[in-house]
Amino acid sequence: MKNSKQFYGIRKKLVVFTILAAILPLGIMGVVLAGSINRNVTELNLENYSHSNSKMIGNYQMMEQGFDELTRSYITNSYIQKSLERKELLPQDKAYVNRSLWYPNNQYTEYGIFIDNKGNEYFSNKVIENVNPEDILSEELSEALKDNYSLTKIMYSTINRNGQEDSGIFLVRNIRHMEQNVSPGVLIVKLNQDFYDNIFFDVNQHTPAVYAMVTMDGEICCRTGGEEQEEEISREILRKAGEELPDEAGEVVHFAADSRICFANTDKDGEFIFLSVVPESVVQAPARNFLKSLGLTMLISVIVCVIMSAFVSHPFRKAISGISRIMSHFDGESLNQEIQISTNTELDHVAVSYNKMLKHIGSLMEEVKKEQEEIRINEYNSLVYQINPHFLYNTLDNVHMLARMDGDETMVKLIQSLSRMLRISISKGENDVSLKDELEHVKCYLNIEQIRNENLFQYEIEVEESILQVKIPKIILQPVVENCIKYGFADMDKGGRIKVDVKAADGFMVLQVSNNGSVMEPDILEKLNHMQYQGMEDIKQAFPQKKGGYGISNVVCRLCLRYGSCFQIHYESFEETGTVCTIRIPMAADADAG
């Protein structure tokens, strides 16, 4: 009975399974698995090199995603936009355009050239006037710009810079004016060595394989690897790579050419081929070496495993049993059941880590609670400042226009309203403002919009005097009335009416905004009324590029963070009565999620 217990459980199973696992493969691997091992190891080696191709195109695509944003930053730059207008720029403005060209400091950018629609070139802190774009652009770049309205084009080409030809990979894009119908400018950005290095970032360059990025015409843009740097990729390999490309971008194909195994795939736009070239002997060598050593390895393994399993199983069995017993009884509340073992193996580290986990789990739980609270506060503060500011930009445009007129009282009213709006919006960094200030903020906004949209609408605000000093989250009403004007009155030229009504009822503050504009679509109405019951990320994504959306999503997010389920926002829209938005929030200033 004693011997039976010594051979019980893990130790018994370890000895038995070790013997079986060591002896049985000797009888079958030599007959059945030799061919399979050779094939599988070879395929695995092929897969590793194929994976290198996937890494290259993955690195390329990651960088490509940022290039469109890089060139878009030039389009939105006010000085570059101004350079495209019909009138000639002043010298100081040209200097600002040149500085703006170098402002987006992208790590993959070697230099940028901007040619406006008046024949001015901006490059290297110099402004060259009366240039001909055809003297700078190659034929390939000119063709790419001709067929491209306003998208970033990535291509390998050569430009004429200061009388010298400069080859490499360029980003080219037509820069158009966002408001005026004028000829576009041309942006040329050359990518630097960091771009090429990043393509081969995760590729093992210490193997005999040669990795390259090639154009569809067989022009090698960049390459690395190879036992000998002078080793070239033959024209036959480049030709066959163009013929063997897969139908789907990113898919890797391999083929044989010139006693080599080649791997090829292309980007989604079909501009470049990513190529790996490996000698056939290198691909097959691991399989041959594996088969040679298999027999000897298996024989030694059987002997060593049978002998060692009998001696090492006992301490492991005892340690594992102890760990299993304690951890199986762990209920998440008992934090004092530590594991005490000594096997001089990794199991000791498991026990030490488990004991440390028990000691720290209590403090971690408190830290998590504090961190979650901080996250809620930070997210709330962040959302406050995400309200769409486009109406401010439009207002400033009006101020700029009115500034050219003398003695216009409208300009005075506009500036005063804008000033009060900014003061209340900032409110010294505080999240809450009095109801009086919130209504003043809305009133200023509506005054500005009346100036911008003459005769479009009238408004009225009604509020109970007794609640004017109650604190509420700021900028709650402005996005609602903004949507009344932007979407409710979209099909109207005049006769619009907006009414803001605020009162107290049953411990809640009821804020109601109504308008006589267009009726909301049923699906938009349903989404708006269900946003408050969704998760935070779902609320933010409810209207990614549709009507009604970002400002109301922001308001609902902030109210959820502030009041949890203790608030309500509801929309109604009918042909007879128009659209009404009702927001109910607790009157208590410190109301929080339940």
Side-chain angles (χ1 to χ4, degrees), residues 372-388:
Q372 290 299 319
E373 183 63 25
E374 291 177 357
I375 289 173
R376 285 165 58 88
I377 294 173
N378 291 336
E379 187 169 5
Y380 180 93
N381 292 335
S382 175
L383 289 170
V384 167
Y385 297 102
Q386 291 180 8
I387 296 297
N388 194 334

Side-chain angles (χ1 to χ4, degrees), residues 335 337-340 350-360:
L335 304 179
Q337 296 182 359
E338 296 186 353
I339 298 175
Q340 301 295 335
V350 173
V352 171
S353 298
Y354 179 83
N355 294 338
K356 288 182 178 180
M357 179 192 69
L358 295 180
K359 293 179 181 179
H360 291 291

Side-chain angles (χ1 to χ4, degrees), residues 9 64 90 103 216 255 381 401 407 451 524-525 530 564-565 574:
E64 185 182 24
L90 297 175
Y103 178 71
M216 288 297 178
F255 55 88
N381 292 335
M401 177 186 67
I451 295 173
I524 299 297
L525 193 65
H530 282 81
S565 60
F574 303 99

Side-chain angles (χ1 to χ4, degrees), residues 66-81:
F67 291 152
D68 190 60
E69 186 65 29
L70 169 66
T71 55
R72 189 182 296 115
S73 65
Y74 292 107
I75 296 178
T76 57
N77 184 277
S78 59
Y79 290 105
I80 291 181
Q81 284 286 301

